[in-house]
Structures are given as C-alpha cells and as structure tokens.
C-alpha cells in the first residue's frame, strides 16, 4: 500500500478536492483505494456520504491502540474506494494525544495502517490546514507528500516553511518520506498566474508537476451532488486534468 499525504498549511487550496479526485482516478484504473480524512471539518467524509457522530472515526484510530481498524473503515458508493471517516471529535483529538504521554504521539496512524497494508494499493490522506500533531501523524505514516497550491497574492508565503517542515519530519521520524512535489489548482490563463507559475518553477525546479488543475465550476457543482467531479462529470476540464495528474504522479 502506497501512502500519500495531500498537504498544505493553507486552507482552500483544493487538498480535499484533490484527494477525492485522485482517489477516484485510481479507483477507475481498478486500484483499491483507502481515503483517510484527517480534517475535523470532515469535507472529504461528507463528500463520500460517510459522516456520522455515532460511528467510529479516525479520532478513535489515533487514540485507541487496541482498536481493530477494520471497524472504522466504511465502504463508499464507489467500487474500490473505502474511507476512514472524520467527524468533529477530531477537533479535540490533538489535545488528547498531547496529554497522553504514555505512548508515542507521532506514529499512531502509521502503526494503525500497518494492519491493512496488504488490503489496499493506495492510501490517500487528506490533511487539515495546519502543522499540528494530526498532520505530523499523516506525514509519519506517508511514503509521499503532494502539495496543492492555489495561486493568489499569498501563494508563495509560507511555502519554504512548509517544505522545511516536511524535511524535519523526514529527518526526525520518517526517513521513508518523499516530498514528491507541488501542483497548481484552480489555474486560469491570467497574467498573474503566468508570473507566479514562473516564480514557482524557479523556487521548486523539478518539484512542480507539469499538469495543473484548471479553475472549473463543475468542481463546485459536484460538491452539491456529493460526488467527486471525476465521477459526476467525466468530460469536465478538471476531471481531465485530474486524470492527467494521476498519470503524471503515480
Ligand atoms: N479546480 C477547481 N475549480 C473550481 N473550484 C474548485 C476547484 N478545486 C477546488 N475548488 C473549490 O474550492 C474550494 C476549496 O477546495 P477544498 O478542496 O475544500 O480545499 P482545502 O481542502 O484545501 O481546504 C471548494 O469549494 C472547492 O469546491
Ligand atoms: Mg479540506
């Protein structure tokens, strides 16, 4: 099972959209995919109609080492895609992890996923927009990190800090971790976009993927249908972009 974190410290850059649609593309190739929602906002969980306050969730995976992870995994409406859901309880989980000093704190997700490593080909982890103990768990559990970037005035701010943080986690906890690269989301043919893309190429070299995901209203419409755009509208610009990105990165 290849484990990939979709990570950026910023919100609204299409982490969740990219996790869902890359997962959708892989599933269409017949790959078995496990999605992990690590954001207390639970948008990924809601997109796959798996939200519940009563069922076990990713918080339980992080807090209870004796839990059988199979009891947390939910099937989705789509063949080959299962999900470890999140709910609002995750907002309180970090504090509980930090207070529990009897167990190591960084590698809890990593340990939990070992039990199912032969059951899926890909595990895609949707991270919250911050660098906290929850994200550290995601990065400690991952083989690769992808960073979606939305171009705006502040797109480059904090990027070096983010890349340094990934390096630190690699050095301290997970030598296996590979920063695969960044990709641009909500791309448009404006002058600003062209200029910032050039800046990003200078800064990142070969760590920026060629494929960009175009701004496309079909993506927003798909969220109202509770369905990744790759499934609901195969011909949408963004669906084609996600297919190309999937080919490029996997
Ligand atoms: N290619 C796109 N075109 C238009 N809107 C998009 C695109 N990708 C994402 N969005 C929208 O942008 C918003 C933020 O995306 P989301 O995936 O939730 O970001 P994050 O998980 O990083 O916070 C959502 O409303 C989503 O529907
Ligand atoms: Mg999100």
């Amino acid at each position: 099972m290849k484990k990939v974190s979709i990570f950026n410290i910023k919100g609204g850059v299409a982490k969740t959209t990219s996790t869902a649609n890359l997962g959708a593309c892989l599933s269409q190739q017949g790959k078995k995919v496990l999605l992990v929602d690590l954001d207390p906002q639970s948008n990924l969980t809601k997109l796959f109609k798996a939200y519940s306050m009563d069922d076990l969730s990713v918080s339980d995976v992080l807090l209870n080492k004796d839990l059988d992870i199979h009891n947390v995994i939910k099937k989705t409406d789509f063949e080959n895609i299962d999900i470890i859901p999140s709910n609002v309880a995750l907002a309180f989980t970090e504090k509980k992890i930090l207070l529990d000093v009897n167990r190591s704190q960084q590698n809890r997700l990593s340990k939990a996923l070992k039990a199912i490593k032969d059951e899926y080909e890909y595990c895609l982890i949707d991270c919250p927009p911050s660098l906290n103990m929850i994200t550290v768990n995601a990065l400690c559990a991952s083989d690769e990190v992808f960073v979606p970037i939305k171009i705006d005035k502040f797109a480059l701010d904090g990027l070096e800090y983010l890349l340094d943080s990934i390096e630190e986690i690699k050095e301290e906890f997970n030598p296996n971790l590979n920063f695969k690269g960044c990709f641009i989301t909500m791309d448009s043919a404006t002058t600003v976009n062209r200029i910032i893309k050039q800046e990003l190429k200078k800064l990142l070299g070969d760590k920026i993927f060629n494929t960009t995901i175009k701004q496309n209203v079909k993506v927003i419409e798909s969220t109202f249908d509770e369905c990744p755009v790759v499934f609901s509208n195969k011909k949408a610009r963004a669906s084609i972009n996600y297919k190309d990105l999937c080919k490029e990165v996997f």
Side-chain angles (χ1 to χ4, degrees):
M1 179 167 81
K2 179 181 279 236
K3 290 160 290 173
V4 179
S5 279
I6 320 292
F7 172 51
N8 192 324
I9 303 170
K10 290 174 199 254
V13 298
K15 291 182 296 298
T16 301
T17 306
S18 301
T19 309
N21 285 291
L22 287 173
C25 293
L26 288 168
S27 78
Q28 285 178 337
Q29 296 170 15
K31 310 283 187 202
K32 278 222 79 179
V33 179
L34 177 68
L35 303 176
V36 180
D37 191 352
L38 272 184
D39 189 345
Q41 292 181 72
S42 313
N43 294 347
L44 185 71
T45 301
K46 289 173 186 167
L47 189 64
F48 284 92
K49 304 192 187 98
Y51 193 86
S52 159
M53 277 306 287
D54 303 321
D55 302 341
L56 291 168
S57 74
V58 74
S59 301
D60 300 287
V61 174
L62 293 168
L63 294 174
N64 180 356
K65 77 171 166 41
D66 299 320
L67 186 80
D68 180 351
I69 195 168
H70 293 97
N71 296 333
V72 189
I73 297 173
K74 286 186 175 178
K75 295 223 164 307
T76 69
D77 290 349
F78 306 100
E79 210 185 328
N80 295 331
I81 305 188
D82 293 350
I83 187 166
I84 296 185
S86 154
N87 63 34
V88 73
L90 186 59
F92 308 96
T93 303
E94 187 196 21
K95 201 166 166 195
K96 289 182 188 165
I97 297 175
L98 294 175
L99 287 172
D100 172 12
V101 292
N102 292 319
R103 280 177 65 205
S104 63
Q105 300 177 336
Q106 291 86 0
N107 59 5
R108 294 180 177 201
L109 182 64
S110 170
K111 282 186 176 165
L113 291 176
K114 287 208 171 96
I116 48 170
K117 68 179 170 44
D118 298 325
E119 293 171 36
Y120 297 90
E121 285 162 277
Y122 289 90
C123 171
L124 305 186
I125 306 172
D126 185 22
C127 293
S130 54
L131 188 63
N132 58 17
M133 189 51 79
I134 305 290
T135 349
V136 170
N137 266 275
L139 296 176
C140 286
S142 294
D143 306 304
E144 296 181 348
V145 202
F146 300 168
V147 177
I149 295 178
K150 179 189 172 187
I151 292 183
D152 59 23
K153 177 163 164 33
F154 308 108
L156 300 173
D157 296 0
L159 190 59
E160 286 185 52
Y161 166 72
L162 177 130
L163 301 181
D164 287 348
S165 310
I166 295 173
E167 276 311 304
E168 266 168 39
I169 287 169
K170 184 182 166 95
E171 273 171 31
E172 281 297 321
F173 303 111
N174 182 7
N176 220 12
L177 184 65
N178 177 16
F179 165 55
K180 194 87 192 251
C182 301
F183 60 97
I184 290 162
T185 62
M186 297 180 244
D187 193 13
S188 61
T190 58
T191 310
V192 181
N193 270 42
R194 251 197 318 278
I195 293 168
I196 300 207
K197 265 189 262 180
Q198 281 166 1
E199 289 295 312
L200 280 168
K201 280 231 166 73
K202 259 191 254 161
L203 188 73
L204 293 164
D206 61 349
K207 294 288 189 186
I208 180 143
F209 304 138
N210 294 320
T211 312
T212 73
I213 311 300
K214 301 291 178 296
Q215 179 94 40
N216 185 336
V217 71
K218 301 287 181 218
V219 174
I220 297 169
E221 286 172 16
S222 73
T223 59
F224 288 94
D225 301 333
E226 295 181 312
C227 180
V229 70
V230 162
F231 288 132
S232 65
N233 193 330
K234 288 190 175 70
K235 291 192 179 132
R237 187 77 248 169
S239 302
I240 296 167
N241 296 153
Y242 274 116
K243 285 231 167 72
D244 290 342
L245 183 68
C246 190
K247 263 188 228 144
E248 185 179 350
V249 299
F250 293 118

